[in-house]
């Protein structure tokens, strides 16, 4: 392996690891204010929404593919189905839609 590639991999590992380590070390043993804790609890949901929602509307030229797939997934997930069943139900719904629309 080329030494430049190895140095790049180590550098990327350090750059990726440090932003995770520094807050952990800085806030160790300290309790954050309740408002900050409440805001931080919502970060995963906001991030997930920001990643998924644009994909729903941009997955295909026909926007209904994303809307139907997301709707079926939300409904099936709402009733407590596991992830595999959610994915399979969306695939089936989109296959039926594709078969009907052509």
């Amino acid at each position: 392996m080329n030494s430049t590639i190895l140095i790049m991999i180590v550098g990327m590992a350090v750059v990726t690891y440090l932003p995770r380590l520094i807050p952990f070390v800085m806030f160790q043993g300290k309790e954050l204010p309740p408002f900050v804790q409440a805001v931080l609890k919502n970060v995963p949901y906001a991030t997930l929404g920001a990643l998924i929602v644009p994909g729903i509307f941009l997955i295909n030229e026909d926007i209904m593919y994303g809307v139907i797939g997301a709707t079926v997934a939300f409904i099936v997930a709402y009733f407590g189905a596991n992830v595999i069943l959610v994915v399979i139900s969306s695939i089936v719904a989109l296959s039926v839609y594709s078969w009907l629309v052509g």
Side-chain angles (χ1 to χ4, degrees):
M1 179 181 293
N2 190 348
S3 64
T4 305
I5 293 174
L6 186 61
I7 291 171
M8 288 174 60
I9 291 172
V10 171
M12 287 187 284
V14 169
V15 170
T16 303
Y17 186 72
L18 281 179
R20 294 181 178 131
L21 178 68
I22 291 172
F24 181 73
V25 172
M26 285 178 56
F27 294 113
Q28 187 175 13
K30 297 177 184 174
E31 188 167 324
L32 295 173
F35 175 75
V36 175
Q37 289 181 9
V39 169
L40 291 176
K41 283 182 182 177
N42 294 324
V43 169
Y45 305 114
T47 304
L48 193 60
L51 292 173
I52 292 174
V53 171
I56 290 173
F57 297 110
L58 300 174
I59 191 77
N60 196 323
E61 290 180 11
D62 184 4
I63 195 171
M64 291 308 292
Y65 276 95
V67 172
I68 290 171
T71 302
V72 170
F74 287 136
I75 290 170
V76 173
Y78 179 77
F79 287 110
N82 63 22
V83 175
I84 294 173
L85 189 58
V86 171
V87 170
I88 290 173
S89 63
S90 291
I91 291 171
V92 168
L94 291 176
S95 297
V96 169
Y97 177 72
S98 177
W99 180 69
L100 291 175
V101 173

